Amino acid sequence: MGRCEMEWQISGIDQARMEQFAEDAGIGRIFAGLLLQRDIVDKQAVKRFIWPDIRLLHDPFLLNDMEQAVDRIRKARERGEHVTVYGDYDVDGVTSTAVILQCLHSLGVDADFYIPHRVEEGYGIHKEAVDEIQKRGSTLIVTVDTGITALDEVAYAKTLGIDCIVTDHHQPFEALPQAVAVINPARADSSYPFSSLAGVGVAFKLVCALLREHDIKSVLGQYIDLVCLGTISDVVPLIGENRIFAKFGLKILNKTNNIGIKALLKLSGAKSVNSTTVGFMLGPRINAAGRMERAEEALRLLLAESTEQAERQAHLLCEINQKRQQTELMILQQAIEMMGHDFDDRKVIVLAHTDWHQGVIGIVASKLLDRYHKPVILLRVEDGIAHGSARSIPGFHMFDALCECEELLERFGGHELAAGLTIREENIAPFTVLINEIADIVISPGALLPTLAVNMVLKPEEVTLELAEKLGFFEPFGAGNPTPVFAMYELEVTESKPTRDGKHLRLTVKKRGLYFSCIGFGMGDAEISTGDWIDIAFELSINEYNNIRNLNLVLKDIKK
């Protein structure tokens, strides 16, 4: 089963409107076009986008139940109560836990934390965990990045004399937990002006409310590095308040006082921090702890109080991440071998194995989806029961499809593009048949063709170092603000060679006497030779060596 060719979707731009906007705003034509594609249509919006202002952060008390949450935490401090912060095991959850813990400790509140084990306990609040928290003597639980659907567990905690404050950003059920406070901008009755905060963003809003007497700049300076780290890693849209958190947070991360983050940056080999550094270097190492072992190892890094402890935890996370990468590669290779050509006619890939690690099969499912552009469900079988992760493509609502297979499943949950499920081993084969029958009805052949969004087709003389430098104003890139992708047509390949390890492809191409250096990550097996004529889709990058800056094109796709 081979990779799918991508179809390029070139964004349509009204050239006259682009030229007029460029003239009115006093900016370059290409810059103007990219801003228009982001619905930035006037000078004021350009200013807010390029130079986000912390004065545009919304009042935390606009969030439902914020006053009740602040009052309850202050009472806990006055009474000397023990408080437990209940977090999730991903980067968003760990940074949220760190932010609230640091704030509570700074206020003199006696507080500890609880983060469930991904494999042994699974996502969310569990009654067994509530029992453990009661044994610690806690009378208040503050959830971060979780809890919005824990109706039974919050009610159970109340029977034990434990109050709950729920802070979360996930989609709630129609009914909300019967907690002292439920702080979530996704609430149906929420009037908060921005609904796309990450879990750490919601946690930070609680911190701002608790520290309302403090200057917002000082509060940001203390917590924004963690807020930025969790926000970018959770792949929420980097617009609105999230863009402010990310933009200011990256500046702080480059000179952070957090000795744990410093140690991890050093071991990761990062010389500076941008959204790519967070997404591909820091985030995966922090996430690896929760995937392979216990997330509290990552939390200990973020809360480290000595250089020795920070370096020890950073080394541990890097080792765990290497183990995660090796495990992930092994599962990926096994999955590809299992597929062969038997899946060419199947629209949904369903694979099961007894040795796969539960913590990484979701990542592998995403990689298989990227490779074949088909919905993927990977299952780990143990003692006759399989636990799995599902990833889907636009147009095939995974949660809805699982609902139609409900009789074959023990339990499941999720949304359109991702889900989790549990199934008995003997039901895997009929489930595979049924979900593919559903896909045959729902998925049109064209939906299985992967697409690449291209912002603009450029002339060779427009592809310059100056343009790459100007695109820096668009940083940080991420969900809701993707890195611009450009295209050039009819280029001659003057040099083609794989990198030393054979994984990647280096090209030199030319047109109209202009030469461009290109790198295609993961394209080492592409059949491109000197003398070929190609079209390329690419992102712009700047290489700096010995204080010399050079333009580099990062290839997203090649067509011969």
Side-chain angles (χ1 to χ4, degrees), residues 140-151:
L140 176 62
I141 294 174
V142 179
T143 78
V144 290
D145 192 34
T146 190
I148 195 63
T149 59
L151 278 63

Side-chain angles (χ1 to χ4, degrees), residues 268-288:
S268 303
K271 295 179 181 178
S272 62
V273 186
N274 56 25
S275 55
T276 301
T277 313
V278 172
F280 293 93
M281 299 178 79
L282 296 179
R285 285 167 169 80
I286 294 170
N287 249 336

Side-chain angles (χ1 to χ4, degrees), residues 226-292:
L226 293 172
V227 177
C228 170
L229 182 55
T231 296
I232 293 176
S233 297
D234 211 50
V235 202
V236 291
L238 295 186
I239 58 176
E241 287 190 299
N242 290 340
R243 181 166 174 80
I244 297 173
F245 292 152
K247 191 91 171 180
F248 282 91
L250 287 172
K251 290 180 182 178
I252 299 299
L253 274 171
N254 275 288
K255 52 184 180 182
T256 182
N257 292 321
N258 187 300
I259 56 177
I261 296 176
K262 276 185 180 179
L264 193 59
L265 281 170
K266 183 178 179 181
L267 276 182
S268 303
K271 295 179 181 178
S272 62
V273 186
N274 56 25
S275 55
T276 301
T277 313
V278 172
F280 293 93
M281 299 178 79
L282 296 179
R285 285 167 169 80
I286 294 170
N287 249 336
R291 290 189 179 280
M292 305 299 294

Side-chain angles (χ1 to χ4, degrees), residues 35 86 122 132 145 152 214 230 243 262 268 291 294 335 375 483 498 509 532:
L35 288 169
Y86 196 114
E132 167 62 27
D145 192 34
D152 292 342
H214 294 67
R243 181 166 174 80
K262 276 185 180 179
S268 303
R291 290 189 179 280
R294 298 204 71 99
T483 305
V509 297
D532 285 346

Side-chain angles (χ1 to χ4, degrees), residues 357-385:
H357 194 291
Q358 189 66 38
V360 300
I361 57 175
I363 303 177
V364 179
S366 295
K367 288 181 178 292
L368 290 171
L369 181 144
D370 291 341
R371 185 182 181 99
Y372 302 116
H373 202 68
K374 291 185 176 185
V376 179
I377 300 171
L378 298 187
L379 301 159
R380 178 181 186 265
V381 183
E382 184 177 22
D383 297 330
I385 297 290

Side-chain angles (χ1 to χ4, degrees), residues 403-418:
C403 287
E404 294 191 46
C405 304
E406 186 173 8
E407 291 185 3
L408 293 171
L409 303 173
E410 297 301 300
R411 57 182 177 271
F412 63 94
H415 50 82
E416 181 179 358
L417 299 179

Side-chain angles (χ1 to χ4, degrees), residues 18-31:
M18 186 168 73
E19 298 285 357
Q20 187 63 52
F21 184 40
E23 182 179 339
D24 293 344
I27 55 179
R29 188 183 68 88
I30 297 170
F31 206 64

Side-chain angles (χ1 to χ4, degrees), residues 90-136:
D90 65 0
V91 183
D92 191 17
V94 171
T95 51
S96 300
T97 305
V99 164
I100 295 295
L101 268 179
Q102 285 184 341
C103 179
L104 293 179
H105 289 159
S106 73
L107 292 171
V109 178
D110 179 24
D112 64 6
F113 68 91
Y114 189 100
I115 301 177
H117 191 285
R118 179 190 289 262
V119 176
E120 295 174 4
E121 297 176 83
Y123 175 79
I125 305 176
H126 308 279
K127 290 182 179 178
E128 295 79 7
V130 175
D131 289 336
E132 167 62 27
I133 290 168
Q134 185 200 33
K135 291 177 183 176
R136 299 178 182 183

